[in-house]
Amino acid sequence: MNDKKTISGFSSMRKRDKIKWMAKTFFTDPEAVIHELSSYWHSSDEQQKILDGFSENTISNFPMPFGVAPNFLIDDKTYCVPMVIEESSVVAAASAAAKFWMSRGGIHTEVIGTKKLGQVHFLWYKDPEILKSTFAKAKEKMLKESASIEANMKQRGGGILDIELIDLTKSKENYYQLKASFETCDSMGANFINTCLEQFAQSLKNFYAAHFGDNSGIEIIMSILSNYTPECLVKAWVECPIEDLGEFKGGLNAAAFAKRFKDAIDIAEIDPYRAATHNKGIYNGIDAVVLATGNDFRAIEACGHAYAAENGYSSLSHCELKDGNFYFYLEVPLAIGTVGGLTSLHPIAKRSLELLEKPSAKKLMRIIAATGLAQNFAAVRSLVTTGIQEGHMKMHLQNILVQLKATDEEFEKAISHFQDRMVSFAAVREFLSKNRKLISPN
Amino acid sequence: MNDKKTISGFSSMRKRDKIKWMAKTFFTDPEAVIHELSSYWHSSDEQQKILDGFSENTISNFPMPFGVAPNFLIDDKTYCVPMVIEESSVVAAASAAAKFWMSRGGIHTEVIGTKKLGQVHFLWYKDPEILKSTFAKAKEKMLKESASIEANMKQRGGGILDIELIDLTKSKENYYQLKASFETCDSMGANFINTCLEQFAQSLKNFYAAHFGDNSGIEIIMSILSNYTPECLVKAWVECPIEDLGEFKGGLNAAAFAKRFKDAIDIAEIDPYRAATHNKGIYNGIDAVVLATGNDFRAIEACGHAYAAENGYSSLSHCELKDGNFYFYLEVPLAIGTVGGLTSLHPIAKRSLELLEKPSAKKLMRIIAATGLAQNFAAVRSLVTTGIQEGHMKMHLQNILVQLKATDEEFEKAISHFQDRMVSFAAVREFLSKNRKLISPN
């Protein structure tokens, strides 16, 4: 163990001291590091303090590109969708697909359900019949004792929907669970659900302690929400007569495009290797809006991929060609919020929600699903026509040229040179340095 | 359709005009919006131009907290791990777990494989026997014609490993695929793989066009990497004698803790509702490092969850108690890079890699897996001892108090008041306003 690189009491050090220790311990140019990290702080100390508070041991802001995709016609209303994503082509693709569908009726959505879930996992050491026959009474106690926690949520139209007892002793000895369902209205509800669950666990434990006279009957393992919420579900779709799809790059007419598009979508249903990347594309769109609105993309991803795995890992979107119609849809579980959490605390997330005209959680589910669908449409359209590299490489090349401070002339030359060559940082640098030599020997 | 909210030619507008249009069209306070968005730009125009280039229609930077978790002893080397995450408690939990294991031998890791994958999906309209009997020749042509694309990667020790022909006609009529495998060394390799695949597709098409005299034999649907890379795999583990685990909050001794911890881990293997949240916790750690180092978290998530779904959706980490030993491990596929993409273009990602002493992709796989394991250990430790809400609520309350500009005195009062109450923005604001009234009637 290299003792010079370990530290005690780090979390209670002042931010500047944290940076200083880190810079001096791990960098060869500590002054430059300190300067660069500080250059990303917000100019207002007060504002920066808020940002710093979102996490721990924060030393700077990591800037993620904040972009917008206009012309999203969703359920007859036009949105300009905020997107936070570090990958090039995603916002361009979403915007292009939105515009394509704007003149074909837009994107349609339907919220199928909003049920959230949580679990109390416990072991039961007595006769299972006692648990089953007394559970109704225990449930009564749990609901009664969580009434005060539930009060505010109830006022907003939500609350605890049900608590079920699930017998899982076939999978693990003595293992039971409470599976509780919730309606959390416009909040994602994690804090509410976890607080309820911890109360359920306490009430359950107390109920059986009173019943048996001691704690020997039941052992609570843990109480925690489930991010897998298959009934918190939204559907988004586009449709139009196949002939209205128009002409495509690569010389495809509408009918040939529709067929090949459907082939690509069907392949993702069949093959998990393709499904993972197909869904990854959908989440390029989804996560960008999730991030922009202060929601939690890890929760969204875990839920969506577990949903995609319900009958062997498969794709989340589907395509049908019937009676001359093109119909493309996405069904995706999305447990998100538009109040609580970071949604109102993060200054740009707050602005994102204002840009979307302060949507309810249900409306935001619709917007996010529509963006995921648009993204998927654009990606698959590229794949079955020109291929994905044409756009990707162009973007990547431009980024590298900006980074290398290329002149306008160099830009042009490089773009023509790399038309049919692999773009990499090293290759572009080499190309520029060769060119620069030709122009000026110094 | 509300025409006022749609726009043509948006992508070619100047950044300031984009912001102006958006602010005036969707906000009631356009001047304040413009001011606020600009306040998040970097003070150097040149630097900001680089950030803007990562995506499209970029109008500002979305600040994500950049924190560090020190004291990570991984394979006998000490790291200070950079983490980008907007969720509170994650960095604190990772740091606490790292410190816990530092004095118990640290975290151990092993890279099991680094194989990347890509696919060319195509339909075959002729006799399948012709495809099978001529494929070796076609493959030769594909490899020959991609030699120049592969040259640089080969120099670095990587390249194309194999191209297999897969018959999937049982799932879909005429459907075959090329499944290609790659070694991409320190790069994630997406551009390299996709460029190779598009070349394979072209060569394949040309080969059979020559064979049949026209294009009627084969139709390429698409060529694209697969994010599902189960053989790009890393393992991380911790172990120690159970008695060395020490005492835990909630009055648990080492043996009772170890048993309950294992119960919690086993439950995540059994129940997909728990598995999703369990894995979500692992990705809290993983994605934070993935983001900090300029890698693509959608790719990492899609791959990891598809891997978790190989035999019905389950958990990625496992625990064994044997011969008085505690053994906890995580196996996770991680296709990441430390060169190329944003790794060297994003100024803070570049610093993150320097902080980790410029690791190879393999070393970064180890560090990321170790962080995921630490995160999972900390979360499950909380769940089976004090519950997750104690820490979460404290963090959440502090954030809200900072936001509401609470004084030190108000901080103390609020923390004691909310000890056993639901924390919400509304509740804290109400508490403060009541208190403020008591102190001063204005």
Side-chain angles (χ1 to χ4, degrees), chain A residues 5-7 10 26-27 29 33 36 39-40 42 46-47 50 53-64 66-68 70-71 78 80 84 86-89 91-92 102 117 119 121 123 171-172 175 177 179 191 194-195 198 219 221-222 224-228 260 263 267 270-271 273-274 276-277 280 284 287 291 296-299 301-302 305 309 342 346-347 351 354-355 357 383-384 388-389 393 396 399 403 405 422, chain B residues 1 5-7 10 22 26-27 29 33 36 39-40 42 46-47 50 53-64 66-68 70-71 78 80 84 86-89 91-92 102 117 119 121 123 171-172 175 177 191 194-195 198 219 221-222 224-228 260 263 267 270-271 273-274 276-277 280 284 287 291 296-299 301-302 305 309 342 344 346-347 351 354 357 384 387-389 393 396 399 403 405 422:
Chain A
K5 292 181 177 175
T6 66
I7 188 162
F10 186 73
F26 293 94
F27 289 83
D29 53 350
V33 172
E36 185 163 13
S39 79
Y40 283 90
H42 194 271
E46 216 170 69
Q47 196 56 68
I50 291 173
F54 295 156
S55 181
E56 302 83 40
N57 293 347
T58 39
I59 55 176
S60 192
N61 303 324
F62 186 94
M64 291 278 283
F66 179 67
V68 293
N71 302 323
T78 306
C80 179
V84 170
E86 86 296 345
E87 184 178 349
S88 67
S89 307
V91 175
M102 190 171 64
L117 298 172
Q119 301 171 304
H121 306 269
L123 302 180
S171 303
K172 181 180 166 68
Y175 170 41
Q177 87 184 197
K179 190 175 178 189
N191 277 330
N194 286 331
T195 307
E198 290 191 2
E219 182 185 355
I221 301 298
M222 58 188 162
I224 184 82
L225 95 168
S226 171
N227 290 114
Y228 182 43
R260 199 180 287 176
D263 280 336
I267 285 169
I270 294 167
D271 175 28
Y273 286 88
R274 171 59 197 150
T277 304
K280 192 273 184 191
N284 275 344
D287 288 347
L291 263 168
D296 179 335
F297 67 81
R298 278 90 54 214
E301 289 261 2
H305 290 291
L342 281 201
H346 193 293
R351 289 300 190 186
E354 287 173 22
L355 174 59
E357 302 181 49
L383 282 174
V384 301
I388 205 97
Q389 282 306 84
M393 281 306 199
H396 189 50
N399 281 345
Q403 172 88 350
K405 293 169 196 167
M422 255 292 280
Chain B
M1 187 160 53
K5 292 181 177 176
T6 66
I7 187 162
F10 185 74
M22 184 200 68
F26 293 94
F27 288 84
D29 53 348
V33 172
E36 185 164 11
S39 79
Y40 282 89
H42 195 272
E46 213 170 73
Q47 195 58 67
I50 291 173
F54 296 156
S55 182
E56 303 83 41
N57 292 348
T58 38
I59 55 175
S60 192
N61 304 323
F62 186 93
M64 292 277 283
F66 180 68
V68 293
N71 301 324
T78 307
C80 180
V84 170
E86 86 296 346
E87 182 178 351
S88 66
S89 306
V91 175
M102 189 171 63
L117 298 172
Q119 301 170 305
H121 306 268
L123 302 180
S171 304
K172 181 179 166 70
Y175 170 40
Q177 93 188 192
N191 277 332
N194 287 330
T195 305
E198 291 190 2
E219 182 186 357
I221 301 297
M222 58 188 162
I224 184 81
L225 94 169
S226 170
N227 290 116
Y228 182 42
R260 198 180 285 174
D263 280 336
I267 285 169
I270 294 167
D271 175 29
Y273 286 87
R274 173 58 198 150
T277 304
K280 192 271 187 196
N284 274 344
D287 288 347
L291 264 167
D296 179 334
F297 67 82
R298 280 91 51 214
E301 289 262 2
H305 290 290
L342 281 201
S344 50
H346 193 294
R351 289 300 191 185
E354 287 173 21
E357 302 179 48
V384 301
I388 206 98
Q389 283 306 84
M393 282 304 196
H396 190 48
N399 281 344
Q403 172 91 348
K405 293 169 195 166
M422 253 295 279

Side-chain angles (χ1 to χ4, degrees), chain A residues 360-407:
Chain A
S360 64
K362 276 189 184 178
K363 191 158 271 183
L364 186 57
M365 285 169 77
R366 293 169 184 270
I367 296 167
I368 293 174
T371 311
L373 182 79
Q375 195 62 41
N376 194 212
F377 177 80
V380 175
R381 181 175 62 171
S382 282
L383 282 174
V384 301
T385 54
T386 57
I388 205 97
Q389 282 306 84
E390 186 183 290
H392 261 278
M393 281 306 199
K394 206 171 133 192
M395 298 284 186
H396 189 50
L397 175 58
Q398 282 172 355
N399 281 345
I400 295 170
L401 290 170
V402 169
Q403 172 88 350
L404 293 172
K405 293 169 196 167
T407 64

Side-chain angles (χ1 to χ4, degrees), chain B residues 53 126-127 152 165 176 194 218 303 307 332 367 381 401 404:
Chain B
K126 306 273 184 180
D127 180 356
N152 272 327
L165 173 69
Y176 291 83
N194 287 330
I218 188 169
C303 182
Y307 186 76
V332 65
I367 295 167
R381 180 174 64 173
L401 289 170
L404 292 172

Side-chain angles (χ1 to χ4, degrees), chain B residues 205-382:
Chain B
K205 202 172 150 183
N206 293 345
F207 180 85
Y208 288 108
H211 187 90
F212 294 118
D214 62 34
N215 280 324
S216 64
I218 188 169
E219 182 186 357
I220 305 290
I221 301 297
M222 58 188 162
S223 314
I224 184 81
L225 94 169
S226 170
N227 290 116
Y228 182 42
T229 53
E231 291 179 76
C232 187
L233 194 67
V234 57
K235 178 177 175 176
W237 70 94
V238 287
E239 57 184 330
C240 73
I242 289 174
E243 61 193 31
D244 290 356
L245 288 168
E247 295 281 317
F248 292 84
K249 278 188 196 171
L252 284 183
N253 65 26
F257 168 82
K259 187 202 165 284
R260 198 180 285 174
F261 187 92
K262 179 173 164 52
D263 280 336
I265 300 294
D266 289 351
I267 285 169
E269 288 178 11
I270 294 167
D271 175 29
Y273 286 87
R274 173 58 198 150
T277 304
H278 182 93
N279 290 341
K280 192 271 187 196
I282 293 172
Y283 281 99
N284 274 344
I286 286 178
D287 288 347
V289 190
V290 165
L291 264 167
T293 55
N295 280 287
D296 179 334
F297 67 82
R298 280 91 51 214
I300 293 299
E301 289 262 2
C303 182
H305 290 290
Y307 186 76
E310 260 195 330
N311 302 298
Y313 191 81
S314 182
S315 57
L316 292 166
S317 66
H318 311 278
C319 181
E320 289 168 19
L321 307 179
K322 220 162 62 184
D323 306 329
N325 239 45
F326 176 88
Y327 177 60
F328 173 49
Y329 73 99
L330 166 70
E331 251 181 40
V332 65
L334 288 174
I336 48 90
T338 55
V339 302
L342 281 201
T343 56
S344 50
L345 296 178
H346 193 294
I348 309 288
K350 207 171 160 184
R351 289 300 191 185
S352 290
L353 288 166
E354 287 173 21
L355 174 58
L356 296 171
E357 302 179 48
K358 301 190 180 167
S360 64
K362 276 189 183 178
K363 192 159 270 182
L364 185 57
M365 287 170 76
R366 295 170 183 269
I367 295 167
I368 293 174
T371 311
L373 182 79
Q375 196 62 41
N376 194 213
F377 177 80
V380 175
R381 180 174 64 173
S382 282

Side-chain angles (χ1 to χ4, degrees), chain A residues 208-271:
Chain A
Y208 289 107
H211 187 91
F212 294 118
D214 62 33
N215 280 322
S216 64
I218 188 170
E219 182 185 355
I220 306 289
I221 301 298
M222 58 188 162
S223 313
I224 184 82
L225 95 168
S226 171
N227 290 114
Y228 182 43
T229 54
E231 291 179 74
C232 187
L233 194 68
V234 58
K235 179 177 174 174
W237 69 95
V238 287
E239 56 184 332
C240 74
I242 289 173
E243 60 193 32
D244 290 357
L245 287 169
E247 294 280 318
F248 292 84
K249 277 188 198 170
L252 285 184
N253 65 24
F257 169 80
K259 189 207 163 279
R260 199 180 287 176
F261 187 93
K262 181 172 161 53
D263 280 336
I265 301 293
D266 289 351
I267 285 169
E269 287 177 12
I270 294 167
D271 175 28

